[in-house]
Amino acid sequence: MCKSSRIVRAVFYSCVLALVALPCHAQQKSAPPSPQSSAPAATGPLLTYALQPGSVMHYLVTAYFDGHFPPFDQPGDPPVHLLAHMEYVAHVGQPQQDGLPVDFTVTKVDMQLLQKEVPIGAKVDPKQVVPFPIELEQAQKALNTSVVLRPDGSIARILTAPNNMVRVNVGIDLRKLFMIVMPVILPNSAVTLGMSWTSKEGVIGTAPAQVAYTNKLSAMQPDGANLNLKIVQTATSQIDDTLDSSGMATNDKQHEVSRLQGTASLTGWMNYFGTPVLASNGIKTYAVRMQKGLFKLAVKLKQTPLSNAAVSSSTTPPNVTTTGNVDVTARFVVQALEQTALH
């Protein structure tokens, strides 16, 4: 563990980047609505995210990582066990032409290295924990994001994105980290129990013909005038990126030094609470917010040096290696910490 503590400050940006995985190709300019395929129109309700101007959402994200990924280990090292806690607060602004602006702010972050893997449902033994200090100000610089969201949860625009210096090579883009609290793009048609739909945007990124999401409404139960729902999600991603010397994906032939290839898979479930809202189309509509969710992620990536790689300058701090193969399993537990005005 002394090796890990020695690189704490140098790899801060790498640590906080390791909370979600895979390429996210969101654009700064306005994007068209997310293509979706859904079941034929039904008589059930419509769903929309509870994004009222002035409302605040507060979430705790707990993440466990087990496996091999630089810069936390080198070839031949034992697997790394990482535990991270992060609190997110989302402030919803006034409507704009293409959606509602939302500021996602990190208010607390804590990271620890564990001596062994912790099974689901088990408690962490304090004797097995080594603190990994992180300054809140640095976490905010690396994680805070402002976006414009459509009612279905898809991204219309990214207003401000984090400034990430170093990257763990699991293909991460911090601009999409907040999607762990809004992981499902809702369908644009009425829903019924058992209905499935696909989307091209979510926690593990957006890449045409490389990332696919399947969602299913597995439970829907009235709660007075309100509605309790459970949505399950599966996602797969094929990764084939060329990287520069700092571990960032690049299409610039002059800066390509290696190729990162592999797969990732995600399975998860989310509990939503919905409250009725007025709908001009006459169809009963519920504004929903995720109350709790559990996601399991598996990533396997192989990095291969390019024989014709050009010498490229790197912003990676000295003695920090961001290159290497990745073989990681992870799980994320998301919990709403307070109710919104809509609930």
Side-chain angles (χ1 to χ4, degrees), residues 4-216:
S4 298
S5 61
R6 190 169 61 247
I7 64 172
V8 167
R9 301 188 67 87
V11 300
F12 160 73
Y13 285 97
S14 297
C15 295
V16 293
L17 280 167
L19 287 174
V20 291
L22 306 179
C24 302
H25 303 291
Q27 302 296 319
Q28 297 291 343
K29 62 183 181 180
S30 179
S34 302
Q36 303 177 39
S37 65
S38 58
T43 57
L46 290 170
L47 304 179
T48 183
Y49 273 103
L51 297 174
Q52 280 193 352
S55 64
V56 178
M57 298 175 286
H58 192 186
Y59 283 95
L60 170 65
V61 178
T62 302
Y64 297 86
F65 290 84
D66 298 288
H68 298 277
F69 54 101
F72 293 98
D73 67 347
Q74 302 301 314
D77 284 354
V80 173
H81 309 293
L82 182 68
L83 169 63
H85 301 280
M86 184 181 64
E87 292 186 20
Y88 251 128
V89 174
H91 297 264
V92 183
Q94 296 302 311
Q96 299 185 8
Q97 185 175 3
D98 52 349
L100 281 163
V102 184
D103 295 326
F104 291 90
T105 304
V106 175
T107 59
K108 183 178 180 181
V109 63
D110 176 67
M111 191 167 293
Q112 300 168 336
L113 291 171
L114 308 178
Q115 294 185 16
K116 62 181 181 180
E117 185 173 351
V118 178
I120 293 179
K123 293 184 178 181
V124 176
D125 184 352
K127 297 179 181 179
Q128 303 293 319
V129 173
V130 176
F132 205 109
I134 293 178
E135 297 178 2
L136 178 59
E137 181 180 359
Q138 294 299 318
Q140 292 174 335
K141 289 180 180 179
L143 295 170
N144 289 1
T145 308
S146 296
V147 297
V148 175
L149 297 178
R150 303 184 183 95
D152 65 356
S154 60
I155 300 172
R157 284 181 291 140
I158 293 178
L159 300 175
T160 60
N163 180 20
N164 50 309
M165 293 172 55
V166 181
R167 166 176 172 155
V168 175
N169 277 340
V170 285
I172 301 164
D173 187 336
L174 286 180
R175 296 176 303 177
K176 290 288 188 70
L177 178 56
F178 66 88
M179 292 196 77
I180 197 73
V181 305
M182 299 178 64
V184 173
I185 307 302
L186 300 173
N188 54 16
S189 62
V191 298
T192 55
L193 185 61
M195 170 181 166
S196 295
W197 67 96
T198 62
S199 56
K200 296 183 178 180
E201 189 171 9
V203 171
I204 65 172
T206 303
Q210 292 181 314
V211 184
Y213 299 86
T214 300
N215 312 284
K216 182 178 181 179

Side-chain angles (χ1 to χ4, degrees), residues 203-204 211-214 233-237 264-268 296-297:
V203 171
I204 65 172
V211 184
Y213 299 86
T214 300
Q233 182 182 78
T234 59
T236 58
S237 178
S265 61
L266 177 77
T267 59
K296 298 178 182 179
L297 176 71

